[in-house]
Amino acid sequence: MAAQQFLSTIKYVAGTKPSFQLSEIAAYLEEPLTIGQMYAALQPHLDGLGLGAQKTGEDYTISRLLPSLPYILNAAEEKRLEAYLSLSSLPSILEAAIEQYITGKTGKDWSDPILLERLRRAIVAQKDDYWKPADKRSLHYTKGYAVLGYLAYHFPVYFMQARHMLAQLAREGLLKQEMTILDLGTGPGVIPLAIDDFWMCLDTARATVHSVERSKENIEAFGALARSVATNNPQVTLKLPREADITSPGNVSLPDLIDLMVFSNVLNELAGLPVAARADIVMNYTERLAPDGTILIIEPAEEATSTGLRVLALALKKRGLSIYAPCTFVWGTNCTPDRCWSFQTAPSLRPTRIMNTLAACNEPFRYVNTDIKYSYVMLRKDGKVRTSCHIPKGTKTLRLSKIHLNVGKRVTVVAAKMSEDLGNAETHIFRLCDGSAEKPVFAVLPAFHIMPSNRDLGSAPYGTVLEIRNVLVRYNPAHDAYNLLVSRNTQIMPTL
């Protein structure tokens, strides 16, 4: 019996009853198959079909999986979360744990001048390596002072990024009462430790956090930090990382029906691989994603890395995943992402004690890392998107792909706000995208033109889809981009 016919039969029977025995399928088959043969054919497709299988004697009970209800924040949790996000410092217990780990690992106090100089060299080497062409990077944070430099310089910022991304997931109803989470390329445990910290804001949600990491020294650091920092919150279980390379995990044991899968600041380290190969890596894990699960990819906001993420996201969209956020494909078309430099910002981190001590030298700027700027994409395989906004054919709204034909004209556009303010106090500038533009488009609002009718341009959150009426199109040859000049007569409002 053809595999597609077999799966179609399973889908048909599952649509007629909530559960059934796998042996019942035998009656539909033209060729006899054993229970074992049928299960072997079905097992890889259970997740995609939204089905579960439970062995019952010599048979299997096949059941439709009910989507988990989203975890909805109550008023007290929202208030707690607002206060939590206002914190600008790394948790003091985590800051102390990093210091203690560096001291214990080296046998010298973390503030020892010789140790500090070695940390400085490690940090500078990592930064210099990052700015090399993609095919010449090594980007190994896997042993010795490379791991310690990562803890001192990168870890605090990435931890704060994770804090904001988890808050966004919670506020958008993408967390569940019971969560299975997988962090791929966890390093010294940024994401698991951030989850353990964040979950204290939630009353009853529970999470089991699995991770994969190739470096023994990173796994060692993770274990030490977790022992020092873990809150003993019964709502969160942190599993020790599986030692494996995420590009080829082999037979490493991983959970099924993952509710949240995270690639945090890791795929950009594979920049030497073509986009298709990086998309393959992500897709290889999606069979383990729950039908209503989310994939979160976070990368640095630097231009090449950020635009590379957009190219990867579109490649994954073409493989069948939906981009939940931040992109909105207003016209239902695929974008041209190679110039899409789009990132989110948050209030800066207060420098840690280690950063301040490292900065007591001739070039202090090299060792203080406090800007919270990051690019992200959330992907789903159930087609769910944050904002569903499609413009009917025949409307007078201008596609940004046609903007070059309308220079000097006043137009109406519907597009997502894809940046925070890129301008200054005199002139506010915001990136726009409707999923069709071939060149960058920016909304430009001089401060003296700010009115109640256009104020939403500045106040709307990143990713909000806006309707912008009566705006003047200009071409900017210096940047090969287009500006939409917002005036007092421009009306701007979020779409419903």
Side-chain angles (χ1 to χ4, degrees):
M1 184 179 187
Q4 191 58 48
Q5 185 183 0
F6 171 70
L7 294 176
S8 296
T9 302
I10 291 286
K11 190 182 298 186
Y12 167 76
V13 176
T16 64
K17 54 178 72 175
S19 66
F20 56 93
Q21 299 302 115
L22 189 55
S23 58
E24 296 177 39
I25 299 298
Y28 296 88
L29 304 183
E30 296 176 359
E31 301 175 8
L33 292 175
T34 67
I35 296 294
Q37 289 171 325
M38 285 192 288
Y39 180 73
L42 174 61
Q43 195 276 333
H45 304 281
L46 284 168
D47 185 21
L49 295 170
L51 300 174
Q54 180 70 41
K55 190 168 178 57
T56 51
E58 298 299 318
D59 209 340
Y60 288 87
T61 300
I62 310 299
S63 304
R64 291 202 300 262
L65 297 176
L66 297 176
S68 301
L69 293 177
Y71 188 85
I72 305 300
L73 298 173
N74 59 42
E77 288 171 318
E78 279 282 8
K79 186 175 181 180
R80 199 179 306 142
L81 188 56
E82 193 68 33
Y84 178 77
L85 293 177
S86 71
L87 301 173
S88 60
S89 299
L90 200 65
S92 58
I93 188 172
L94 180 55
E95 184 173 0
I98 291 172
E99 294 169 352
Q100 291 164 11
Y101 180 73
I102 293 174
T103 295
K105 185 70 175 173
T106 62
K108 296 179 180 291
D109 187 85
W110 68 267
S111 60
D112 179 88
I114 295 175
L115 188 153
L116 289 171
E117 190 56 34
R118 289 174 179 170
L119 285 177
R120 290 187 186 105
R121 287 202 296 267
I123 291 167
V124 169
Q126 290 169 4
K127 293 168 69 175
D128 287 347
D129 193 36
Y130 180 83
W131 292 108
K132 292 178 181 177
D135 61 346
K136 297 185 182 301
R137 295 182 192 171
S138 58
L139 289 176
H140 295 312
Y141 310 108
T142 57
K143 60 183 179 180
Y145 275 87
V147 172
L148 303 184
Y150 184 97
L151 287 170
Y153 186 82
H154 294 289
F155 187 107
V157 163
Y158 291 166
F159 183 92
M160 300 299 277
Q161 289 176 3
R163 175 179 283 183
H164 287 281
M165 289 306 313
L166 290 167
Q168 185 172 334
L169 289 165
R171 285 171 164 167
E172 299 200 14
L174 296 182
L175 299 185
K176 304 177 185 177
Q177 180 68 40
E178 299 279 345
M179 295 281 291
T180 297
I181 301 173
L182 176 63
D183 180 32
L184 291 149
T186 193
V190 173
I191 295 297
L193 293 171
I195 289 169
D196 185 71
D197 184 65
F198 178 84
W199 244 248
M200 292 189 294
C201 295
L202 309 179
D203 289 339
T204 61
R206 302 176 67 89
T208 300
V209 188
H210 305 262
S211 55
V212 175
E213 171 56 38
R214 64 177 176 171
S215 161
K216 285 184 171 63
E217 290 199 32
N218 270 322
I219 294 173
E220 174 193 285
F222 181 0
L225 294 178
R227 287 190 295 274
S228 298
V229 173
T231 59
N232 294 319
N233 181 351
Q235 293 173 227
V236 178
T237 301
L238 299 184
K239 299 287 189 179
L240 194 66
R242 277 80 160 178
E243 184 182 343
D245 189 321
I246 66 168
T247 64
S248 53
N251 296 323
V252 66
S253 175
L254 296 174
D256 290 314
L257 296 177
I258 297 164
D259 300 300
L260 175 62
M261 186 181 295
V262 183
F263 296 84
S264 175
N265 298 288
V266 63
L267 292 175
N268 76 87
E269 296 179 12
L270 307 174
L273 293 178
V275 172
R278 281 180 280 148
D280 286 341
I281 291 168
V282 176
M283 294 303 297
N284 286 341
Y285 290 97
T286 57
E287 67 180 33
R288 295 185 177 275
L289 189 70
D292 55 352
T294 301
I295 299 171
L296 171 62
I297 305 175
I298 312 172
E299 297 288 21
E302 176 270 324
E303 184 174 6
T305 302
S306 180
T307 54
L309 175 60
R310 300 294 162 227
V311 174
L312 174 62
L314 186 61
L316 291 167
K317 181 175 183 285
K318 291 178 179 177
R319 301 282 188 97
L321 297 179
S322 61
I323 298 177
Y324 174 86
C327 307
T328 300
F329 297 87
V330 172
W331 297 96
T333 58
N334 288 328
C335 61
T336 306
D338 53 306
R339 291 187 65 191
C340 185
W341 185 14
S342 171
F343 56 87
Q344 187 153 4
T345 64
S348 296
L349 166 72
R350 184 178 300 168
T352 63
R353 285 185 294 270
I354 291 181
M355 287 185 196
N356 283 328
T357 307
L358 288 168
C361 64
N362 293 331
E363 297 179 307
F365 63 90
R366 289 180 176 270
Y367 310 107
V368 177
N369 186 19
T370 59
D371 288 345
I372 310 299
K373 296 180 179 180
Y374 55 94
S375 297
Y376 78 90
V377 63
M378 296 179 189
L379 300 134
R380 307 269 296 191
K381 63 180 184 181
D382 60 2
K384 185 175 183 178
V385 295
R386 178 170 65 188
T387 303
S388 181
C389 176
H390 297 289
I391 306 299
K393 290 183 178 180
T395 63
K396 294 183 179 180
T397 301
L398 178 72
R399 290 186 188 222
L400 295 183
S401 61
K402 304 295 185 183
I403 197 168
H404 62 289
L405 301 175
N406 290 270
V407 173
K409 298 179 182 178
R410 291 192 172 274
V411 299
T412 295
V413 303
V414 174
K417 174 183 171 181
M418 293 300 290
S419 75
E420 305 297 342
D421 194 346
L422 303 174
N424 53 40
E426 288 75 34
T427 305
H428 305 284
I429 302 173
F430 302 89
R431 176 122 193 186
L432 299 176
C433 181
D434 68 353
S436 76
E438 296 178 3
K439 295 183 179 182
V441 178
F442 300 89
V444 179
L445 174 57
F448 60 85
H449 276 307
I450 295 176
M451 300 288 288
S453 59
N454 60 34
R455 202 178 297 272
D456 281 332
L457 179 62
S459 61
Y462 176 85
T464 301
V465 178
L466 301 170
E467 182 177 354
I468 305 174
R469 298 178 181 175
N470 193 25
V471 66
L472 181 64
V473 179
R474 293 293 192 201
Y475 176 63
N476 183 343
H479 295 91
D480 191 22
Y482 292 92
N483 292 335
L484 298 179
L485 303 184
V486 179
S487 70
R488 299 185 180 201
N489 296 321
T490 301
Q491 293 182 307
I492 300 177
M493 65 204 78
T495 63
L496 298 179

